[in-house]
Amino acid sequence: MPGHLEGSFVGKKQVEERPKKLQFVRTLLIDNYDSYTYNIYQELSVINGVPPVVIRNDSWTWKDICQHLYEENAFDNIVISPGPGSPTCPADVGICLQLLLECGDIPILGVCLGHQALGYVHGAKVVHASQPIHGRLSEIKHNGSRLFHDIPSGRNSGFKVVRYHSLVLDAQTLPEELVPIAWTTSSDALSFSEDNFVSPDAYAKTSEGYSTLFSDIRNENSWPLSHSGDIRSRKVLMGIMHSTWPHYGVQFHPESVATCHGRQIFKNFRRITEDYWLRSSSSFFRRRYAYFTAQIQVPHANHISGQVRLTNTPSVETDGNHVLQEVTRSRRPVDDLDERNCLGMTNLGISPTTIDMKLLKLTWRRLEGLAAKLGGAKNIFCELFSDDKAENTFWLDSSSIEKGRARFSFMGGKGGPLSKRLTFRLTNRSDAAHCGGYLSIEDAHGHVSSTYLEKGFLDFLNKELLSFHCEEKDFEGLPFEFYGGFVGYIGYNLKVECGAATNCHKSPVPDACFLFADNFVVVDHLNDDVYLMSIHDRNTPGTTWLDNTEEKLLTLRTAPTEEPKNKNMGSMTISPHEAGFCAEKSKEQYMEDVRKCLQYIKDGESYELCVTTQIRKKVEEMDPLQLYLHLRETNPAPYAAWLNFAKENLHICCSSPERFLRLDRNGILEAKPIKGTIARGVTKEEDEKRKLQLHYSEKDQAENLMIVDLLRNDLGRVCEPGSVHVPHLMDVESYATVHTMVSTIRGKKRSDVSAVDCVRAAFPGGSMTGAPKLRSMELLDSLETCSRGIYSGSIGFFSINQTFDLNIVIRTVVIHENEASIGAGGAIVALSNPEDEYEEMNLKTCAPVKAVMDIQNDENLAIPFPPLFFSR
């Protein structure tokens, strides 16, 4: 058979009797640095009966590949993931081209970029599509190939798929050995509604736990057909197969949450694999190990670090002209999470036996109904923690509690003997290979120590959290997840600890700041209860602070509740320039960034890019706490926060409506990205019309879907196979002045990963980067001219019981050394317009800008300015 490996490896193939049916199928999943690979991982884990082994496309040498495929017979098939770029660029596909050319005796499925690589390696041309299609659907017609067994075909058949691509194979250039098996129908892109949607990766919570999966059967009306705009073009090639080898490719994304029958395609590929090896048993047969061979232990990958400079390398070829100029590709070492999946092993983290355990005790009291009597969380915070300009205080403030969006607020100040303040700064040379930095720790007595953390802040935080131990009986009866621990923020630049290649800009503020809260107050907004919480060494009594604080609260005068109230008010805008803010970029510069993003998207470098900028203003006489109190009144949000780090002269006034990630005591991870926003109408009729307009907006649906699939991928890296699901896809939530499109993604955390592992897998939030995340962050770093700092990072808590809850830092004023800065931006997709994107970016600054103006002008702060919740 042409393409078979020649030489010493062929002689080592084993001819043995093969069972009629495989108990499990072992897949080598090659990741092309994509943000959807672990969605495939989750699907294959369920279908194959064992998780695949994941490697990056530059992790193994060809010698490694041959050893595992032919000497060890470790895999039954190969799946090549999607990814940014083009198969014509060697750095974008790594080992994949050689695999497709040499391994004609192993079943291979290529998805998107993998599909294009299959065509390209046999001589087909990769060209620009008539238009980029990202996060949008098409109906598919196929020829009945085994890859599409039991899947309907054609228009109105119910076979609709999600596409993320700007490049395609030119069908006219397919060689004879490649057979077209699927293509779009006459309409390129479809809009959709989620009214009757049941996610193919949803799971039912049964007595068997999280293992019962819903089937992916759809009826024809699951995704109502609504042709978009004037989009009409010829059919686009969507699937190919090799005429004699077991190689297949699909241009669309079967792993997407919105693709119909996607799971069936992976099931069919398993059956193709089984049948292939059964038929091959008469000539030669690759030896299978009797034990659980998918848990193979392979040598550490030979990761390429540093820069690979590609000069005069075409990414796309159109009429013989090289379209994309030279690009710098960054290759970074794989982080610990990817290494675990590569090795197929568990428990590679820090063993508790290697950590000095801190035995703690939690004591607490519930003061029933006291919050309402004292006038709410604002009055409690001001009475307990506002002295000395609220220095070194925190307030995780659920100032918007409508419709159950949030329930608890946590607040604290100078703590007890366990309290401390952490300040971390990355070194000037911060990249994935050098993510170390300096940590300053100030203890409860004011003593300061400094140390260099070679492995970075998150590694330190992980060790700290794993060292805490508290008896479960101490937590019994508490309705919330925070039992004491670290409260603070993670800056955007810590992305280098989470897989990003580098930081082009150094942050002017610390890259992470946290207070260890051992004494704090919790307000239950649902029941109006107040909880007093204190953690201390197990052999030390801890009731003094509880006694003193309870006495102080009980002696306060009762007051009417003055919590923020959302009202449907007409929106009002003010430009940052009118408010005296200086913009990092002019309007034309920002619009040029948008145009560059559109070109990157057209060239297949990204599906979506979240470009941002900053505005700044000197605020020397401003009271930061007064600013925050005004901001929470005029722009209440479920994930708002106040943080004060006095020695850094740093104050954070955050009114974020977006949750990044939460881990609860049951091990359930939840993300709630916001993508898609529209202003509310003045009348009831106009308001409902605008809500429906958002609901059916193709651009907003595409933005939201791309980030949902990205976060499914991020959770899939750390969650049990089959557990990642989307209980709410593109829900429209209404706030005071806007409707927003919000999705919810959940999954069950694996037992071998820690709370910090979960954050590392998903940070920064995909709604602030775009997809694929790694390539998008590289492109954004090249476009943006300053560090995002705290903006785009996360604020929240890490509890001593390994739970956490973090927001996305948007709608936020950061005051550092008497300068206020506000970050804003937007998601750029193929349907974006530069002028509209600039206006949207400006609009997102309105609430914090107006709050700063009000405080500086000492206006009547009792008149609220309507809140603005615009998606990031």
Side-chain angles (χ1 to χ4, degrees):
M1 187 179 293
H4 273 195
L5 284 168
E6 302 295 338
S8 60
F9 291 110
V10 177
K12 297 182 180 181
K13 297 176 182 179
Q14 304 294 317
V15 181
E16 297 178 5
E17 188 61 33
R18 189 176 187 84
K20 293 291 184 182
K21 186 177 181 181
L22 303 182
Q23 182 179 358
F24 50 81
V25 171
R26 305 161 305 167
T27 296
L28 176 63
L29 176 56
I30 300 180
D31 176 24
N32 287 306
Y33 288 84
D34 196 49
S35 288
Y36 299 149
T37 300
Y38 279 88
N39 295 333
I40 299 176
Y41 173 91
Q42 286 277 324
E43 290 291 325
L44 294 177
S45 296
V46 174
I47 292 165
N48 289 351
V50 62
V53 170
V54 184
I55 65 166
R56 291 275 169 82
N57 63 24
D58 56 358
S59 296
W60 288 358
T61 65
W62 182 243
K63 182 178 179 180
D64 295 330
I65 291 286
C66 291
Q67 177 185 342
H68 299 307
L69 289 181
Y70 295 110
E71 287 192 318
E72 298 176 355
N73 303 303
F75 302 103
D76 301 302
N77 64 24
I78 299 170
V79 175
I80 299 176
S81 84
S86 165
T88 64
C89 179
D92 288 340
V93 288
I95 201 72
C96 297
L97 296 183
Q98 193 167 3
L99 275 169
L100 290 165
L101 199 58
E102 299 286 354
C103 297
D105 56 350
I106 297 176
I108 298 178
L109 173 63
V111 178
C112 198
L113 181 64
H115 157 89
Q116 294 169 11
L118 174 59
Y120 175 74
V121 81
H122 289 287
K125 288 186 176 181
V126 179
V127 298
H128 281 110
S130 58
Q131 65 171 316
I133 302 290
H134 295 293
R136 299 156 73 190
L137 281 80
S138 289
E139 290 185 303
I140 298 298
K141 182 178 181 179
H142 60 78
N143 68 350
S145 162
R146 292 195 64 202
L147 192 65
F148 300 110
H149 178 67
D150 274 347
I151 296 175
S153 175
R155 183 175 297 188
N156 298 326
S157 68
F159 185 22
K160 303 181 182 73
V161 302
V162 174
R163 296 165 60 187
Y164 295 109
H165 67 101
S166 302
L167 311 176
V168 295
L169 290 176
D170 184 351
Q172 303 302 315
T173 65
L174 284 183
E176 289 185 1
E177 61 264 32
L178 294 182
V179 180
I181 59 175
W183 46 91
T184 62
T185 55
S186 58
S187 177
D188 275 354
L190 307 173
S191 181
F192 57 84
S193 165
E194 73 279 17
D195 288 340
N196 298 310
F197 175 71
V198 179
S199 168
D201 64 338
Y203 65 89
K205 206 171 183 180
T206 68
S207 59
E208 297 176 357
Y210 295 92
S211 60
T212 304
L213 302 171
F214 291 137
S215 70
D216 62 355
I217 297 175
R218 297 283 195 282
N219 61 49
E220 295 183 3
N221 296 319
S222 291
W223 297 89
L225 180 64
S226 172
H227 295 289
S228 60
D230 297 323
I231 300 173
R232 293 288 191 274
S233 74
R234 61 183 177 86
K235 298 175 183 178
V236 179
L237 186 63
M238 286 285 114
I240 58 175
M241 64 175 286
H242 197 281
S243 60
T244 57
W245 298 353
H247 291 184
Y248 296 80
V250 290
Q251 178 64 76
F252 57 88
H253 284 241
E255 81 285 355
S256 173
V257 70
T259 290
C260 302
H261 305 289
R263 179 164 292 158
Q264 186 63 40
I265 291 174
F266 290 116
K267 288 179 180 178
N268 290 339
F269 184 58
R270 170 176 175 151
R271 295 189 184 111
I272 289 170
T273 300
E274 292 175 325
D275 291 346
Y276 174 80
W277 290 119
L278 183 61
R279 290 195 307 271
S280 301
S281 62
S282 60
S283 58
F284 68 87
F285 177 77
R286 300 186 325 127
R287 176 170 53 88
R288 297 181 61 86
Y289 293 130
Y291 55 87
F292 197 62
T293 51
Q295 300 295 323
I296 61 167
Q297 298 191 20
V298 299
H300 289 272
N302 297 320
H303 305 301
I304 301 171
S305 60
Q307 300 290 319
V308 179
R309 191 70 175 176
L310 304 175
T311 307
N312 300 322
T313 301
S315 178
V316 185
E317 190 172 341
T318 305
D319 297 329
N321 296 320
H322 295 166
V323 178
L324 188 64
Q325 297 178 349
E326 64 179 55
V327 181
T328 298
R329 302 289 191 242
S330 299
R331 287 294 181 255
R332 76 280 308 160
V334 179
D335 64 30
D336 182 60
L337 287 169
D338 289 321
E339 187 171 287
R340 290 186 219 183
N341 289 314
C342 171
L343 298 175
M345 296 188 296
T346 59
N347 298 319
L348 289 183
I350 301 163
S351 171
T353 59
T354 64
I355 299 175
D356 293 331
M357 300 301 294
K358 302 180 180 69
L359 303 180
L360 304 177
K361 182 172 180 57
L362 171 66
T363 56
W364 55 275
R365 295 175 189 173
R366 180 169 71 98
L367 306 179
E368 189 173 353
L370 187 62
K373 297 176 183 177
L374 298 180
K378 173 185 173 181
N379 289 350
I380 294 173
F381 180 85
C382 290
E383 289 291 343
L384 294 180
F385 305 113
S386 64
D387 291 346
D388 298 322
K389 298 182 180 181
E391 289 186 355
N392 298 314
T393 58
F394 69 87
W395 184 4
L396 303 181
D397 178 19
S398 298
S399 57
S400 174
I401 58 175
E402 290 185 338
K403 301 180 181 179
R405 291 178 183 133
R407 177 178 171 183
F408 301 101
S409 292
F410 306 91
M411 58 184 71
K414 182 175 175 55
L418 298 181
S419 66
K420 54 186 172 183
R421 180 179 58 84
L422 310 180
T423 305
F424 178 76
R425 286 181 169 85
L426 288 162
T427 59
N428 290 330
R429 183 186 181 187
S430 64
D431 53 42
H434 307 88
C435 58
Y438 291 93
L439 176 69
S440 173
I441 303 177
E442 181 180 356
D443 65 20
H445 306 290
H447 300 144
V448 179
S449 61
S450 182
T451 185
Y452 178 75
L453 301 179
E454 183 177 356
K455 294 184 178 180
F457 179 77
L458 294 179
D459 180 76
F460 168 85
L461 181 63
N462 191 42
K463 292 177 181 177
E464 283 286 294
L465 292 171
L466 290 173
S467 72
F468 299 129
H469 178 74
C470 227
E471 297 290 343
E472 288 191 15
K473 63 181 181 180
D474 292 351
F475 314 141
E476 290 178 1
L478 291 174
F480 44 84
E481 308 289 349
F482 183 49
Y483 306 148
F486 295 101
V487 179
Y489 73 82
I490 301 171
Y492 179 74
N493 275 6
L494 280 195
K495 68 183 190 291
V496 295
E497 296 190 24
C498 305
T502 187
N503 283 320
C504 290
H505 313 290
K506 185 170 177 61
S507 174
V509 299
D511 294 293
C513 275
F514 281 86
L515 301 169
F516 186 84
D518 56 354
N519 295 329
F520 59 102
V521 175
V522 184
V523 177
D524 181 347
H525 297 283
L526 179 64
N527 298 323
D528 285 323
D529 297 335
V530 174
Y531 291 82
L532 307 182
M533 311 284 291
S534 181
I535 53 175
H536 47 89
D537 289 331
R538 186 169 296 179
N539 298 322
T540 303
T543 60
T544 303
W545 182 85
L546 296 176
D547 294 337
N548 294 340
T549 305
E550 180 179 7
E551 181 181 0
K552 188 171 185 178
L553 288 175
L554 292 177
T555 57
L556 293 177
R557 293 179 299 170
T558 59
T561 301
E562 296 182 358
E563 294 302 314
K565 303 291 184 181
N566 274 340
K567 300 177 182 178
N568 184 7
M569 306 171 67
S571 63
M572 183 169 69
T573 63
I574 183 170
S575 75
H577 178 73
E578 293 173 342
F581 280 84
C582 296
E584 181 72 24
K585 290 195 173 184
S586 67
K587 177 179 179 179
E588 183 52 41
Q589 288 172 325
Y590 188 84
M591 291 173 60
E592 180 60 24
D593 283 350
V594 174
R595 285 188 283 269
K596 288 179 180 177
C597 289
L598 290 171
Q599 186 62 44
Y600 285 134
I601 292 169
K602 180 181 177 182
D603 291 333
E605 294 298 304
S606 180
Y607 316 140
E608 175 177 358
L609 287 161
C610 298
V611 67
T612 73
T613 188
Q614 301 260 339
I615 58 174
R616 295 181 175 83
K617 182 180 183 179
K618 286 293 183 181
V619 288
E620 295 174 350
E621 302 300 324
M622 179 175 293
D623 180 349
L625 179 58
Q626 185 68 17
L627 171 64
Y628 176 69
L629 295 176
H630 182 53
L631 182 64
R632 75 182 295 273
E633 181 68 31
T634 59
N635 195 45
Y639 309 109
W642 156 266
L643 293 174
N644 179 302
F645 298 96
K647 288 196 173 181
E648 303 298 330
N649 196 8
L650 177 61
H651 320 272
I652 304 170
C653 307
C654 175
S655 59
S656 173
E658 183 173 359
R659 166 176 280 152
F660 164 47
L661 198 61
R662 178 182 69 176
L663 175 64
D664 68 19
R665 70 187 85 181
N666 298 314
I668 301 299
L669 280 165
E670 179 184 271
K672 293 192 69 173
I674 292 177
K675 278 293 174 192
T677 301
I678 194 169
R680 298 193 67 167
V682 177
T683 67
K684 183 177 180 180
E685 292 75 15
E686 182 188 6
D687 192 53
E688 186 63 26
K689 181 179 178 181
R690 286 176 174 246
K691 186 175 182 179
L692 290 173
Q693 182 180 342
L694 174 63
H695 185 81
Y696 291 104
S697 165
E698 187 173 10
K699 175 181 178 292
D700 292 311
Q701 289 172 349
E703 285 185 26
N704 197 285
L705 179 60
M706 280 186 266
I707 300 307
V708 168
D709 279 340
L710 187 156
L711 280 162
R712 290 173 59 236
N713 172 88
D714 291 348
L715 267 62
R717 296 176 64 193
V718 293
C719 285
E720 295 286 354
S723 71
V724 178
H725 64 295
V726 184
H728 303 286
L729 179 64
M730 301 183 193
D731 284 352
V732 176
E733 294 184 355
S734 299
Y735 288 84
T737 60
V738 296
H739 303 293
T740 63
M741 189 178 285
V742 185
S743 294
T744 303
I745 304 99
R746 294 188 186 128
K748 175 72 172 178
K749 182 184 76 68
R750 293 200 325 249
S751 60
D752 63 303
V753 298
S754 67
V756 173
D757 286 337
C758 297
V759 174
R760 197 193 300 270
F763 186 84
S767 61
M768 303 305 295
T769 63
K773 185 186 286 186
L774 295 180
R775 178 66 61 83
S776 295
M777 288 191 292
E778 292 176 15
L779 297 173
L780 292 169
D781 259 7
S782 70
L783 291 174
E784 297 174 358
T785 54
C786 66
S787 170
R788 297 188 185 184
I790 299 169
Y791 170 67
S792 299
S794 293
I795 293 173
F797 68 75
F798 288 90
S799 180
I800 59 173
N801 65 324
Q802 289 277 312
T803 64
F804 63 82
D805 199 352
L806 301 169
N807 74 2
I808 295 285
V809 180
I810 53 177
R811 319 292 178 265
T812 297
V813 183
V814 175
I815 301 177
H816 181 233
E817 296 181 349
N818 300 320
E819 180 182 70
S821 63
I822 300 170
I828 312 303
V829 296
L831 299 174
S832 292
N833 174 275
E835 182 78 32
D836 293 342
E837 293 297 337
Y838 177 76
E839 294 302 324
E840 181 181 338
M841 180 276 295
N842 259 338
L843 200 57
K844 291 172 181 177
T845 66
C846 286
V849 164
K850 183 63 164 58
V852 171
M853 281 188 62
D854 287 348
I855 296 297
Q856 285 194 315
N857 296 335
D858 196 23
E859 294 181 0
N860 181 2
L861 302 185
I863 302 176
F865 176 70
L868 296 172
F869 295 93
F870 291 94
S871 72
R872 284 298 310 115

